[in-house]
Amino acid sequence: MRALAVCTMSVSLAGGALANDDLQALISNSKDWAIQTGDYANTRYSKLNKINKDNVKNLQVAWTFSTGVLRGHEGGPLIIGDIMYVHAPYPNTVYALDLNNDGKILWKYEPKQDPNVIPIMCCDTVNRGVAYGDGKIFLYQADTTLVALDAKTGKPVWSVKNGEAADGSKGESGTSAPMVVKDKVIVGISGGEFGVRGALTAYNIKDGKQAWRAWSMGSDEETLIDPEKTTELGKPVGKDSSTKTWEGDQWKIGGGTTWGWYSYDAKLNLIYYGTGNPSTWNPSQRPGDNKWSMTIMARDADTGQAKWLYQMTPHDEWDYDGVNEMILADIPIDGKDRAVLVHFDRNGFAYTLDRETGELLVAKKYDPAVNWATEVVMDKSSKDYGRPTVVDKYSTAKQGEDVNTTGICPAALGTKDQQPATFSPKTKLFYVPTNHVCMDYEPYRVSYTAGQPYIGATLSMYPAPNSHGGMGNFIAWDAAKGEIVWSKPEQFSVWSGALATDGDVVFYGTLEGYLKAVDKDGKELYKFKTPSGIIGNVTTYEHKGKQYVAVLSGVGGWAGIGLAAGLTKGTDGLGAVGGYAGLSDYTALGGQLTVFTVPD
């Protein structure tokens, strides 16, 4: 029985390689959902098809579960064998539920954390989910503690503090989902709005000892960059590629945090992820390209050494974090199959790169409202190859400090934030939840104090022009051509992670709380309103011969921070509160897992 197999994993797996083989098998079994991203490639695609385009209209609620927390619920549950693991935002409660016994709680883990971590979490007290490996559930707490729990009992096996301080005094927090690769568990760090310097860190899954740490900026030794072997757009990055792009020691409080999603190519043994905005948001205080913030990184899973890097938004002036997921797919480009990485960046451009070499293949806007740059230069002979062509009118650096630059599209929360897209190998298309939002941005001089906001800009957000009030779209994207295939408008930003299935259905959630299902052409097939806005990621699994679809609802995150934290001033929530003020007319706080199926 699968449940017995799960229960014995923690004692039967003797080595890291064996643990990885076990996880790979679980990921490959479409009946399970053993990793937050669906697979290492971040495709969020399921081969299950018992729920399909013909019967999805009959979808009904099978059961529900309350998490007991009223803040933003990002991420989703893991399903391994007959057990579902459900997480919640701060205080980061984890539940193990018995799918054979009406979701009976097998165990519950609720860590004790310093509440001072709450106010330093800029964009709600979210957590993007737990990870599984080696018979353990890995929880990355708000206070940056990474804890390994016995998957059978919920008892802590080991824990380690990933940040410098667990009491919020340095502004560090943990919001991202860990990723288990081979004999290591990978975690990032949040806190770019507090001058936290980003890093990606690998810990041994057996005992929690640090295996490697790769800083986003700093010396070549700290960033694990080889000046000759590490490349950007095919050329060696050279000595001191990070520090020489900063003024003085600004890089030490330079941001570049790593709170998004991670992917892994086993054949190349490379981990891919993005780094966030440079600190502060006032670009005048940090002249230079500010490397390696806003960067796609490809690193060796065993050592952390960087193979290639690509900075998308040099000298960021708009808070366009580059942390969104890297989706690994094989698609035909110019008549030739290519192993690519596709990334929908906050800056409004969708990038397609060769995932082995980092060659830039496509860079196009995936929302026509994007105006801060006209294009990404694709001429390899140009000195500006790979750089965006910035429009002076929307350059907050050109306009200067204490000047309100208006009409910038997208807003700081991006054409897409961390809410993951999905890829269907059947259609070769990417289905992308997007924001259709613009902003005004006024930078001002700010000084650094550890644990205090280090932002240096005031923002206000609003729907993009000529959008008839709609603040989001759910789109289908052709990453080979760099074109929108179809676009389905939504009243608010689509802030949930999407799911594509072999049943020719694509699922996503809305900020008002609807779970929606569309076909490959964007035609709506089904919708159901859950108790609260959905910012969680839709998942699917099979149990006892039936396919289920599961999603967390609980409005919050950056878009819903006004509701989640009780904020009312328009410029609060880093500018989001005013833009999403109307959300309170459609939904309220909640924290619930809703599981759907098609009745017999």
Side-chain angles (χ1 to χ4, degrees):
M1 193 169 84
R2 291 203 297 153
L4 180 61
V6 171
C7 288
T8 58
M9 282 173 190
S10 60
V11 294
S12 65
L13 299 176
L18 187 56
N20 188 61
D21 291 343
D22 163 63
L23 181 55
Q24 287 275 22
L26 287 168
I27 292 171
S28 299
N29 180 5
S30 56
K31 296 180 180 181
D32 293 315
W33 192 273
I35 186 172
Q36 286 292 329
T37 51
D39 52 30
Y40 277 132
N42 267 280
T43 65
R44 298 193 51 78
Y45 176 81
S46 173
K47 295 178 181 177
L48 298 181
N49 56 22
K50 291 182 177 179
I51 297 173
N52 54 58
K53 62 181 177 57
D54 297 319
N55 66 12
V56 70
K57 63 181 181 291
N58 301 321
L59 212 59
Q60 294 182 8
V61 175
W63 58 280
T64 61
F65 178 78
S66 173
T67 66
V69 183
L70 297 180
R71 292 296 290 254
H73 284 60
E74 292 183 348
L78 295 185
I79 298 93
I80 299 170
D82 298 319
I83 301 175
M84 176 184 283
Y85 299 95
V86 180
H87 74 286
Y90 184 93
N92 304 135
T93 319
V94 181
Y95 300 91
L97 307 181
D98 186 353
L99 297 179
N100 287 329
N101 192 5
D102 293 329
K104 177 184 177 183
I105 299 172
L106 296 173
W107 55 257
K108 172 185 176 181
Y109 178 77
E110 185 173 337
K112 303 300 180 186
Q113 302 180 65
D114 192 321
N116 286 323
V117 76
I118 296 174
I120 60 97
M121 301 183 78
C122 82
C123 312
D124 203 4
T125 58
V126 296
N127 182 284
R128 298 184 184 93
V130 295
Y132 173 84
D134 193 32
K136 304 179 183 74
I137 294 294
F138 296 96
L139 168 67
Y140 188 32
Q141 299 173 185
D143 65 0
T144 78
T145 300
L146 175 66
V147 60
L149 306 172
D150 186 286
K152 291 186 300 179
T153 66
K155 302 296 184 185
V157 179
W158 56 258
S159 67
V160 63
K161 187 172 66 176
N162 187 54
E164 187 178 343
D167 59 1
S169 61
K170 298 291 186 180
E172 303 157 306
S173 59
T175 60
S176 56
M179 182 177 71
V180 173
V181 173
K182 300 168 81 169
D183 60 348
K184 297 176 178 63
V185 56
I186 310 295
V187 292
I189 194 83
S190 304
E193 280 58 65
F194 291 81
V196 172
R197 180 167 62 128
L200 195 73
T201 308
Y203 295 95
N204 296 330
I205 59 174
K206 284 295 179 187
D207 54 17
K209 291 182 179 178
Q210 187 180 126
W212 53 261
R213 172 168 285 171
W215 294 94
S216 299
M217 57 270 299
S219 68
D220 294 336
E221 291 74 23
E222 288 181 306
T223 55
L224 302 185
I225 288 173
D226 186 307
E228 299 303 320
K229 295 180 180 178
T230 303
T231 62
E232 183 182 28
L233 299 176
K235 297 180 179 179
V237 296
K239 183 176 173 56
D240 302 324
S241 60
S242 172
T243 53
K244 70 183 182 183
T245 66
W246 292 83
E247 186 174 74
D249 288 342
Q250 178 73 23
W251 58 269
K252 293 182 178 179
I253 49 173
T257 49
T258 49
W259 50 271
W261 303 96
Y262 322 124
S263 53
Y264 171 61
D265 185 317
K267 182 179 178 182
L268 299 173
N269 197 38
L270 292 177
I271 291 170
Y272 305 92
Y273 66 102
T275 61
N277 60 283
S279 296
T280 115
W281 287 15
N282 178 359
S284 300
Q285 288 187 245
R286 43 172 178 77
D289 277 356
N290 308 135
K291 293 181 176 178
W292 292 97
S293 66
M294 318 301 280
T295 297
I296 298 173
M297 296 195 167
R299 293 186 179 275
D300 183 278
D302 298 322
T303 65
Q305 284 290 321
K307 181 173 182 181
W308 61 261
L309 313 165
Y310 169 56
Q311 188 180 43
M312 298 164 290
T313 314
H315 187 58
D316 169 57
E317 308 169 35
W318 310 270
D319 183 45
Y320 291 152
D321 290 53
V323 302
N324 294 351
E325 74 285 356
M326 312 295 162
I327 303 175
L328 312 183
D330 298 333
I331 60 175
I333 296 181
D334 297 329
K336 180 183 177 183
D337 283 342
R338 298 289 295 262
V340 301
L341 175 156
V342 176
H343 170 75
F344 299 92
D345 197 61
R346 287 249 295 260
N347 70 15
F349 286 85
Y351 298 84
T352 305
L353 300 99
D354 183 293
R355 65 176 181 260
E356 181 174 3
T357 66
E359 178 187 355
L360 182 62
L361 304 172
V362 180
K364 294 287 187 179
K365 298 175 183 179
Y366 63 105
D367 184 340
V370 173
N371 64 12
W372 68 277
T374 56
E375 64 177 355
V376 172
V377 177
M378 298 299 290
D379 180 358
K380 293 184 178 180
S381 64
S382 169
K383 64 179 177 60
D384 293 322
Y385 172 48
R387 296 177 72 95
T389 302
V390 176
V391 177
D392 287 354
K393 179 181 178 181
Y394 302 115
S395 167
T396 68
K398 284 271 193 340
Q399 303 304 317
E401 292 180 342
D402 304 317
V403 175
N404 191 27
T405 302
T406 61
I408 305 167
C409 305
L413 43 68
T415 300
K416 190 178 85 63
D417 199 17
Q418 61 76 36
Q419 62 270 37
T422 182
F423 169 73
S424 170
K426 292 181 72 174
T427 64
K428 299 292 185 181
L429 295 178
F430 296 77
Y431 302 95
V432 191
T434 72
N435 313 311
H436 193 55
V437 185
C438 302
M439 68 175 174
D440 301 339
Y441 189 115
E442 183 174 344
Y444 59 85
R445 183 120 326 221
V446 63
S447 59
Y448 173 77
T449 301
Q452 297 299 311
Y454 187 53
I455 300 169
T458 301
L459 278 61
S460 59
M461 302 184 192
Y462 40 84
N466 304 314
S467 58
H468 307 291
M471 298 180 73
N473 295 274
F474 189 69
I475 71 170
W477 178 260
D478 184 328
K481 297 178 180 178
E483 295 178 355
I484 297 172
V485 178
W486 52 256
S487 179
K488 185 177 183 297
E490 289 288 351
Q491 182 171 2
F492 295 102
S493 297
V494 186
W495 208 270
S496 90
L499 168 74
T501 74
D502 186 60
D504 299 320
V505 182
V506 183
F507 295 92
Y508 67 96
T510 73
L511 273 173
E512 308 101 295
Y514 284 104
L515 173 75
K516 292 192 175 185
V518 298
D519 67 13
K520 60 184 177 64
D521 298 316
K523 178 186 176 183
E524 190 171 297
L525 304 173
Y526 173 84
K527 70 175 182 179
F528 178 91
K529 195 168 187 184
T530 66
S532 184
I534 298 175
I535 64 169
N537 303 334
V538 189
T539 58
T540 190
Y541 66 98
E542 184 177 309
H543 183 248
K544 292 186 175 178
K546 288 184 71 69
Q547 183 182 354
Y548 296 86
V549 172
V551 68
L552 286 167
S553 61
V555 72
W558 194 355
I561 189 64
L563 276 172
L567 305 176
T568 57
K569 185 180 176 183
T571 55
D572 282 348
L574 302 176
V577 171
Y580 293 86
L583 190 57
S584 61
D585 292 336
Y586 294 88
T587 192
L589 295 179
Q592 177 175 301
L593 175 79
T594 307
V595 181
F596 302 81
T597 193
V598 172
D600 295 328

